[in-house]
């Protein structure tokens, strides 16, 4: 009879929990038989039955010592200001030592307002990313939706492999969107509203297929080329501009240049030194943000090849006057630089000649004006000739 009564008591006895900030177990969280409590809250575990006198003892993980709680005369277990360490399995027993019921209690926090940012890698799609502002220690899920300026409501698509991201496909470039990111756990929910426009959040992916190579016969030049990111829409009205940063491998200071082309020539590289180059991209009309930097590429400018068959030793140093010797300080050995110098000299000569002609015209105007004031119309060459004659011949 005692065994039958024990079995019946197990059937009719239910364990319920009533407490501040406590969630009843639910199958939607995928954890059957689990209760959730708020850290710092007051929790009451009650073992209800048709006869309260059946409850004689509470145990935590099989041990009767529960120093952070106390057993009431009604058979309840009180856990005041429960800490995370209160997480565990609680079970109540009858006076005969029979198990009446048990439950797993998990302690945590309700969700805080999630932090959210959005980014468009092109003008047709954008994605939003988020993270919890509070480590809840409990199972958490996010839902994401949006409302466009045209009052179109849609679901921001999430991927199971990336639970903290969603994407809006075929977005409208000039439209604005209000994103709603909601974080939920067994103790409650919280949400963030964020207004975005595609042109303000566009940030291309880094350029791809970066290539760095020396320029033949140019010891201070490197040629770098790249391709548009594969995620960028290749349309004429959505162009990108680029910035190139480079430095010698053993230096830390970068030099930056901007270009609208898919290649660039570095003209001030250090001869004989390995260089590091990276490229980033941005909308040509300056909308949004610069992309992250591309992967690094490395190369060394062209150098004169030394004949490997020529014997060299410490006793026979290379003749610095030999035509095969490389002068590390020869910054004008690049033929293109020589052409640039010749062009500069030509421009300088033209400017000097122009100044001489201008001065000659000014002298002629001055002399002619002075002659007109004296009532004469002397010929300019005659005046110069008269000034050149000795005084005796003039008299």
């Amino acid at each position: 009879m005692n065994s039958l009564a024990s079995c019946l008591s197990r059937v009719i006895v239910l364990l319920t929990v009533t407490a501040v900030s406590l969630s009843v177990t639910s199958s939607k969280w995928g954890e059957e038989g689990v209760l959730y409590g708020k850290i710092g809250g007051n929790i009451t575990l009650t073992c209800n039955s048709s006869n309260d006198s059946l409850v004689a003892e509470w145990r935590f993980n099989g041990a009767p010592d529960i120093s952070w709680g106390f057993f009431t005369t009604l058979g309840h277990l009180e856990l005041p200001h429960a800490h995370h360490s209160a997480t565990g399995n609680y079970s109540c027993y009858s006076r005969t030592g029979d198990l009446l019921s048990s439950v797993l209690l998990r302690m945590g926090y309700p969700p805080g307002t999630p932090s959210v940012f959005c980014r468009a890698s092109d003008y047709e799609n954008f994605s939003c990313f988020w993270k919890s502002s509070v480590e809840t220690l409990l199972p958490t899920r996010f839902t994401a939706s949006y409302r466009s300026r045209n009052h179109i409501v849609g679901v921001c698509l999430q991927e199971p492999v990336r639970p903290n991201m969603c994407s809006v496909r075929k977005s409208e470039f000039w439209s604005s969107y209000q994103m709603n990111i909601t974080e939920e756990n067994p103790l409650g929910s919280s949400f963030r509203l964020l207004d975005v426009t595609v042109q303000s959040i566009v940030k291309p992916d880094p350029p791809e297929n970066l290539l760095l190579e020396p320029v033949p016969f140019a010891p201070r030049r490197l040629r770098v080329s790249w391709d548009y990111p594969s995620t960028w829409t290749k349309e004429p009205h959505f162009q990108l501009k680029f910035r190139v940063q480079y430095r010698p491998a053993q230096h830390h200071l970068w030099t930056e240049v901007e270009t609208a082309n898919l290649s660039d020539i570095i003209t001030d590289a250090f001869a004989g030194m390995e260089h590091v180059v990276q490229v980033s991209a941005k909308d040509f009309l300056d909308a949004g943000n610069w992309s992250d930097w591309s992967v690094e590429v490395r190369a060394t400018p062209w150098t004169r090849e030394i004949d490997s068959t020529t014997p060299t030793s410490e006793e026979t140093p290379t003749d610095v006057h030999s035509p095969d010797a490389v002068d590390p300080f020869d910054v004008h050995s690049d033929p293109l630089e020589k052409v640039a110098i010749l062009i500069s000299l030509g421009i300088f000569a033209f400017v000097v000649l122009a100044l001489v002609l201008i001065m000659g015209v000014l002298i002629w105007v001055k002399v002619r004006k002075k002659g007109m004031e004296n009532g004469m119309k002397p010929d300019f060459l005659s005046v110069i000739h008269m000034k050149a004659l000795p005084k005796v011949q003039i008299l």
Side-chain angles (χ1 to χ4, degrees):
M1 292 294 294
N2 289 339
S3 297
L4 179 61
S6 176
C7 291
L8 290 174
S9 65
R10 292 183 186 181
V11 173
I12 64 174
V13 174
L14 300 175
L15 181 66
T16 63
V17 180
T18 57
V20 178
S21 302
L22 196 81
S23 172
V24 178
T25 183
S26 174
S27 59
K28 74 175 185 177
W29 295 104
E31 294 182 316
E32 293 290 347
V34 180
L35 298 178
Y36 305 93
K38 179 182 177 182
I39 294 177
N42 297 323
I43 299 174
T44 301
L45 300 179
T46 305
C47 195
N48 292 330
S49 70
S50 58
N51 186 357
D52 290 339
S53 62
L54 289 175
V55 182
E57 185 182 39
W58 283 89
R59 297 179 186 177
F60 174 71
N61 292 335
D65 183 18
I66 306 178
S67 59
W68 56 92
F70 57 90
F71 185 62
T72 68
T73 56
L74 298 177
H76 304 162
L77 179 64
E78 298 284 348
L79 304 176
H81 310 293
H83 296 281
H84 181 256
S85 58
T87 296
N89 186 74
Y90 291 83
S91 53
C92 57
Y93 292 82
S94 67
R95 294 182 181 276
T96 59
D98 295 324
L99 173 65
L100 300 178
S101 190
S102 66
V103 67
L104 175 63
L105 177 64
R106 290 188 60 180
M107 302 298 296
Y109 298 98
T113 303
S115 59
V116 182
F117 76 93
C118 298
R119 176 199 161 204
S121 58
D122 57 53
Y123 281 120
E124 292 186 349
N125 312 281
F126 71 88
S127 301
C128 292
F129 306 82
W130 57 81
K131 64 178 180 179
S132 301
S133 59
V134 175
E135 179 60 41
T136 66
L137 307 175
L138 298 177
T140 303
R141 64 166 56 99
F142 292 88
T143 56
S145 61
Y146 66 87
R147 180 189 297 272
S148 71
R149 185 174 55 184
N150 300 327
H151 305 290
I152 299 176
V153 178
V155 176
C156 191
L157 302 176
Q158 295 176 257
E159 300 178 9
V161 295
R162 303 186 70 179
N164 289 3
M165 186 203 81
C166 71
S167 299
V168 177
R169 304 298 183 187
K170 302 299 180 183
S171 58
E172 300 175 4
F173 172 58
W174 296 110
S175 183
S176 59
Y177 293 81
Q178 184 179 70
M179 306 301 300
N180 183 337
I181 310 299
T182 301
E183 179 180 357
E184 181 185 9
N185 76 5
L187 297 181
S189 63
S190 183
F191 66 91
R192 164 86 67 182
L193 296 178
L194 182 66
D195 294 323
V196 299
T197 54
V198 177
Q199 67 268 24
S200 65
I201 62 171
V202 64
K203 180 182 178 181
D205 287 330
E208 300 175 356
N209 301 324
L210 200 62
L211 177 64
L212 182 64
E213 54 189 352
V215 177
F217 308 106
R220 297 201 62 196
R221 292 175 183 263
L222 289 167
R223 183 181 186 275
V224 57
S225 60
W226 57 88
D227 292 332
Y228 267 55
S230 57
T231 54
W232 188 261
T233 305
K234 296 178 176 63
E235 296 185 13
H237 47 283
F238 289 144
Q239 298 294 312
L240 293 176
K241 63 180 180 179
F242 306 92
R243 60 179 179 178
V244 181
Q245 70 171 11
Y246 59 93
R247 62 177 174 83
Q250 59 266 51
H251 293 178
H252 300 289
L253 184 62
W254 293 94
T255 300
E256 284 190 16
V257 294
E258 286 192 19
T259 179
N261 302 319
L262 290 175
S263 64
D264 194 37
I265 299 292
I266 298 173
T267 60
D268 57 350
F270 288 84
M273 297 178 66
E274 184 184 46
H275 286 68
V276 181
V277 177
Q278 290 178 299
V279 182
S280 67
K282 189 179 183 181
D283 175 78
F284 186 78
L285 298 179
D286 234 19
N289 304 285
W290 284 100
S291 75
D292 295 332
W293 289 104
S294 67
V295 295
E296 292 183 352
V297 290
R298 296 177 177 237
T300 303
W302 175 89
T303 56
R304 292 186 179 93
E305 295 182 357
I306 301 177
D307 187 356
S308 59
T309 61
T310 303
T312 58
S313 65
E314 295 182 0
E315 289 78 10
T316 58
T318 304
D319 184 1
V320 295
H321 300 291
S322 171
D324 294 328
V326 178
D327 184 1
F329 300 101
D330 181 12
V331 298
H332 302 300
S333 58
D334 187 355
L336 294 177
E337 292 182 3
K338 293 180 180 179
V339 172
I341 293 173
L342 291 177
I343 293 174
S344 300
L345 291 175
I347 294 174
F348 177 75
F350 174 78
V351 171
V352 171
L353 180 59
L355 290 175
V356 171
L357 291 176
I358 292 172
M359 291 179 63
V361 171
L362 291 177
I363 293 174
W364 178 79
V365 171
K366 185 176 180 180
V367 171
R368 189 172 185 275
K369 184 177 180 181
K370 188 174 181 180
M372 294 292 290
E373 290 175 355
N374 295 332
M376 299 185 302
K377 298 181 180 179
D379 182 75
F380 178 65
L381 295 175
S382 301
V383 172
I384 295 176
H385 179 67
M386 292 294 290
K387 285 190 174 184
L389 292 175
K391 278 188 177 182
V392 177
Q393 293 186 19
I394 295 174
L395 298 174

